[in-house]
Amino acid sequence: DLSHGLDSLTLAGLDSADQVLLICDMMVPTIHNTKLIVDTFRELDSGRSKLKLIVNRYYEGSQISLQQISDHTQLPVYWVIPYDSAVAISAVNSGKSFADVDGSSEAAKSLAALARELAGVEGEVRSKRKFSLFGRR
């Protein structure tokens, strides 16, 4: 997780990374800023191929399509995280993960699948069973 600006330290870190996940929502200013970052990578010849575009807070009724985002940023959409304001607000307010708040939500499932994809792990990861003095819970 980096700041919104690109200073020399940030660029050095990005240059040494194997993959760079660009998180973008479906709002015009964010899409524009994402394109500026992609352009910066191109200008610096910092390996545009390692950039992966993730669209956060995706909802189908948006005036902007995934194809338009891809066309504007000149990157294919690598992953989509569905918009679920109730789970997101609850997670932020409680300091818990999406999975802890509602593991069955589409957003939680998408984030878990993204983590498995990036880690190279196949299939569902089962949650750990909890044990107490009196047996399983």
Side-chain angles (χ1 to χ4, degrees):
D1 192 13
L2 302 172
S3 66
H4 292 100
L6 293 176
D7 58 20
S8 60
L9 184 59
T10 300
L11 286 171
L14 293 173
D15 191 45
S16 65
D18 294 328
Q19 296 182 57
V20 175
L21 306 177
L22 290 175
I23 312 298
C24 176
D25 61 26
M26 301 185 78
M27 298 176 70
V28 171
T30 310
I31 297 165
H32 178 72
N33 287 338
T34 301
K35 180 178 180 2
L36 293 176
I37 291 172
V38 173
D39 291 346
T40 300
F41 264 75
R42 183 181 303 115
E43 289 171 17
L44 297 174
D45 197 30
S46 293
R48 241 185 87 210
S49 61
K50 65 181 165 183
L51 296 177
K52 297 192 181 312
L53 181 62
I54 298 174
V55 176
N56 190 22
R57 290 184 262 174
Y58 169 76
Y59 58 99
E60 286 189 33
S62 173
Q63 295 176 335
I64 301 170
S65 70
L66 293 175
Q67 186 61 53
Q68 288 172 310
I69 294 171
S70 180
D71 290 346
H72 187 71
T73 60
Q74 298 176 330
L75 282 178
V77 174
Y78 176 73
W79 207 266
V80 173
I81 302 168
Y83 185 55
D84 190 333
S85 61
V87 172
I89 291 168
S90 183
V92 168
N93 288 338
S94 65
K96 295 181 179 178
S97 71
F98 279 39
D100 288 337
V101 169
D102 182 0
S104 66
S105 74
E106 292 303 313
K109 289 178 188 176
S110 179
L111 287 167
L114 174 60
R116 287 192 303 275
E117 171 79 15
L118 293 171
V121 176
E122 292 185 26
E124 289 283 325
V125 176
R126 295 187 195 144
S127 62
K128 295 179 184 177
R129 290 190 172 168
K130 296 182 180 181
F131 292 91
S132 70
L133 183 61
F134 302 104
R136 293 183 188 171
R137 299 195 258 171

